[in-house]
């Protein structure tokens, strides 16, 4: 798999392109074996959530990176795109507040992008 930093950069650029807010990169590699990094953002609407997710998948596909698993497209409250080393989480405002991944992973190094 490509350099994790490059993947993080591509994903956050895609999020910014589609006006996602509250973008955070949560480095959990020292805390869990699930993944190395979670990237979290908030979307203002279902169409925006779809646009963010599709833009990420299309952009990474051009770099020959296919998602290992995707879920949440049915309800668009929380879309998860799993690239193994990096897991993308696109939340509605309500779901982001409810699940509060930043609090859950508070011991991790967390970077704010916007």
């Amino acid at each position: 798999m490509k350099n994790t930093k490059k993947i993080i950069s591509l994903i956050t650029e895609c999020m910014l392109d589609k006006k996602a807010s509250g973008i955070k990169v949560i480095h959990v590699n020292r805390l869990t074996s699930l993944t190395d990094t979670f990237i979290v953002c908030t979307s203002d609407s279902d169409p925006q959530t779809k646009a963010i997710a599709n833009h990420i998948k299309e952009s990474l596909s051009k770099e020959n990176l296919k998602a290992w698993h995707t879920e949440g497209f049915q309800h668009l409250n929380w879309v998860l795109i799993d690239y193994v080393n990096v897991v993308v989480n696109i939340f509605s405002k309500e779901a982001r507040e409810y699940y509060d991944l930043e609090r859950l992973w508070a011991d991790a190094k967390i970077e704010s992008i916007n």
Side-chain angles (χ1 to χ4, degrees):
M1 183 166 260
K2 288 196 183 226
N3 182 319
T4 301
K5 286 183 181 181
K6 170 93 170 148
I7 295 168
I8 292 168
S9 178
L10 286 168
I11 292 168
T12 56
E13 284 174 31
C14 288
M15 289 175 168
L16 289 168
D17 287 349
K18 297 299 176 185
K19 310 292 187 228
S21 60
I23 302 170
K24 305 261 188 206
V25 179
I26 306 171
H27 300 278
V28 295
N29 55 323
R30 293 199 168 115
L31 302 173
T32 183
S33 60
L34 292 173
T35 187
D36 292 339
T37 308
F38 290 116
I39 303 177
V40 182
C41 74
T42 302
S43 168
D44 292 328
S45 65
D46 289 356
Q48 184 185 22
T49 299
K50 261 189 196 170
I52 295 166
N54 288 333
H55 188 42
I56 291 168
K57 290 178 77 172
E58 289 166 12
S59 296
L60 270 68
S61 181
K62 289 177 187 171
E63 299 290 325
N64 294 316
L65 292 166
K66 302 277 186 243
W68 181 70
H69 181 75
T70 303
E71 62 184 69
F73 268 94
Q74 305 87 328
H75 305 290
L76 298 170
N77 212 18
W78 176 6
V79 173
L80 181 142
I81 310 169
D82 187 345
Y83 287 99
V84 182
N85 293 354
V86 178
V87 177
V88 177
N89 298 273
I90 307 165
F91 286 104
S92 68
K93 287 179 182 176
E94 298 79 20
R96 176 110 183 234
E97 288 172 13
Y98 180 80
Y99 291 105
D100 198 3
L101 291 187
E102 293 94 321
R103 184 187 52 75
L104 188 64
W105 296 102
D107 292 344
K109 177 184 171 209
I110 300 176
E111 289 177 66
S112 293
I113 303 299
N114 69 345

